[in-house]
Amino acid sequence: MSAIHSVVIIGSGPAGHTAAIYSARAGLSPAMYEGFMAGGVAAGGQLTTTTEVENFPGFPEGITGPELMDRMRTQSQKYGTTIFTETIERVDFSQRPFKIYSQNDPDTAILAHTVIIATGATAKTLPIGGFQDYWQKGISACAVCDGSLPIFKNVPLFVVGGGDSACEEATYLSKFGSRTYLVHRRDKLRASQIMQERVLKNPRIEILWNSEIVEAAGDGRKIGSVVVRNIASGETRKQDAGGLFFAIGHKPNTDVFKNILSMDEDGYLITKPNSTATNIEGVFAAGDVQDKKYRQAITAAGSGCMAALEAERFLAATGAH
Ligand code: FAD
Ligand code: NDP
């Protein structure tokens, strides 16, 4: 039988690495399973898919997402985290020590006294024409992260979606763009009343109802136009565009925990108020996997810290080390 880890961390974004740094510095020698393209995202998480990060404290000049995640990884290892580039495909939390199974060796249980789940979420996008050419060259899935970049100033901006995220992002972008278009596939928004009102009252936002974006084009360096199709009439129209933001929801990476941990109707893990504790004692969840409201690197890191401290207290209380 293999040794029992005090802490196993599943996932490797800002939440996972912050949990690793704290539990490593507490002498708990955590094992991190960072994933291998798990949820379609490289080890290091969602920030590996972006360029400049300008809102993570401590980097006044900004830092690229991949470099920030490289630095977190180095810091985790420096204090004693062992990192495995493997994806966890199955867990058994029915009794302690918990059993975790990696895709690389599905028959051998990895044993753990506590588990911190930090598997994040994946932003949904649409496979429109030109997507691959202009992703991160004007196409983004996070307005709050990218919207204030100089390329989005005083140019027409498009947001796709009709939920709270889309309304929030359109409202945010309206401060920067020359005009902001909210492109929604139906004739009614899904967003909460208050968010809808903010959009409908904003003279800098125009809603394109019953519409979809079918293509993005540009000069190769950045996006310059989009083709909007009216779903009802089938009519298409090319419009100048300096930015295109998808806000059509996220998918939390929680398939592995279905029927094991409590989740909300969208598959986000449910944690106790002001805590990262899940419904199973000794299993904690941090970052975007349990947060559909803030979804930022710093909030993910904050909850990773909470998870590590709670795991440490749990180990002390149960005497398991
Ligand atoms: P994630 O970053 O989602 O990482 C989770 C990791 O776990 C992934 O690597 C995944 O592959 C891995 N994983 C999943 N399942 C498994 C499994 N079964 N086994 C092992 N590993 C697994 N936030 C900001 O604060 N500032 C920004 O400028 C900013 N820019 C962004 C730009 C883009 C394009 C996107 C999509 C997001 C951006 N964000 C930004 C949001 C930020 O990236 C997220 O809030 C943050 O990364 C969430 O961190 P996390 O640790 O919860 O998980
Ligand atoms: P939602 O699932 O609520 O909305 C997604 C939107 O994208 C819907 O309008 C949907 O259209 C549209 N959409 C989905 N798939 C496609 C597609 N393939 N093509 C075109 N459009 C598509 O996601 P959100 O991210 O907006 O919100 C998720 C949760 O987070 C909600 O519970 C929300 O309330 C919450 N939230 C709260 C915030 C706040 O309180 N400040 C901020 C952000 C989110 P359709 O309506 O036709 O289905």
Side-chain angles (χ1 to χ4, degrees):
M1 175 130 332
S2 56
I4 306 173
H5 296 286
S6 295
V7 182
V8 165
I9 297 162
I10 311 176
S12 54
H17 279 297
T18 306
I21 292 162
Y22 272 77
S23 41
R25 291 191 74 252
L28 297 172
S29 308
M32 170 186 277
Y33 286 81
E34 67 177 353
F36 183 77
M37 292 309 290
V41 181
Q46 295 170 65
L47 287 185
T48 63
T49 68
T50 191
T51 49
E52 290 299 313
V53 177
E54 296 184 329
N55 52 14
F56 199 87
F59 300 94
E61 313 305 331
I63 182 166
T64 68
E67 192 188 345
L68 179 59
M69 294 320 302
D70 259 6
R71 285 173 172 241
M72 287 193 197
R73 192 176 192 275
T74 304
Q75 198 170 350
S76 295
Q77 286 179 312
K78 176 179 170 185
Y79 291 105
T81 305
T82 307
I83 300 181
F84 300 90
T85 308
E86 299 177 25
T87 296
I88 297 304
E89 65 167 23
R90 188 162 61 91
V91 296
D92 176 356
F93 293 159
S94 58
Q95 55 182 27
R96 293 201 298 268
F98 302 121
K99 295 192 181 79
I100 297 155
Y101 299 87
S102 153
Q103 260 175 7
N104 293 40
D105 187 2
D107 297 324
T108 306
I110 300 152
L111 303 176
H113 290 302
T114 65
V115 178
I116 296 176
I117 297 166
T119 49
T122 307
K124 293 185 201 161
T125 56
L126 294 171
I128 58 163
F131 179 86
Q132 295 297 347
D133 298 330
Y134 294 103
W135 174 246
Q136 294 302 319
K137 293 178 182 168
I139 302 182
S140 165
C142 184
V144 180
C145 318
D146 299 335
S148 63
L149 294 175
I151 59 161
F152 298 121
K153 297 249 159 77
N154 295 316
V155 289
L157 301 176
F158 290 76
V159 179
V160 181
D164 278 334
S165 296
C167 289
E168 191 170 68
E169 303 216 343
T171 304
Y172 179 75
L173 290 171
S174 69
K175 291 185 279 187
F176 307 108
S178 55
R179 188 147 190 78
T180 300
Y181 297 91
L182 183 63
V183 183
H184 185 39
R185 62 182 174 183
R186 293 190 292 135
D187 61 358
K188 196 172 179 306
L189 294 172
R190 172 183 297 277
S192 55
Q193 200 57 34
I194 187 165
M195 300 293 244
Q196 291 197 29
E197 277 167 21
R198 257 178 230 163
V199 165
L200 293 166
K201 281 189 189 148
N202 188 326
R204 297 172 65 82
I205 302 177
E206 186 178 328
I207 305 184
L208 306 180
W209 299 105
N210 299 310
S211 295
E212 63 180 358
I213 304 273
V214 288
E215 193 183 329
D219 60 7
R221 285 182 305 113
K222 67 183 181 62
I223 192 172
S225 63
V226 291
V227 175
V228 184
R229 191 175 86 92
N230 184 295
I231 295 165
S233 67
E235 177 203 341
T236 57
R237 191 163 37 132
K238 188 171 175 180
Q239 287 189 232
D240 289 345
L244 169 60
F245 295 82
F246 287 106
I248 58 170
H250 286 68
K251 184 185 180 309
N253 297 316
T254 53
D255 289 353
V256 174
F257 312 108
K258 267 202 181 115
N259 304 320
I260 296 172
L261 293 176
S262 298
M263 298 178 189
D264 72 7
E265 66 285 1
D266 297 318
Y268 286 85
L269 297 183
I270 295 174
T271 50
K272 304 215 161 105
N274 299 318
S275 165
T276 59
T278 67
N279 58 306
I280 295 184
E281 275 190 49
V283 178
F284 305 89
D288 283 14
V289 74
Q290 50 84 59
D291 168 24
K292 64 178 166 197
K293 189 164 181 193
Y294 298 107
R295 295 191 289 227
Q296 294 295 297
I298 193 70
T299 47
S303 64
C305 162
M306 287 168 65
L309 295 177
E310 290 189 279
E312 191 185 344
R313 282 173 202 155
F314 176 84
L315 288 165
T318 55
H321 265 273

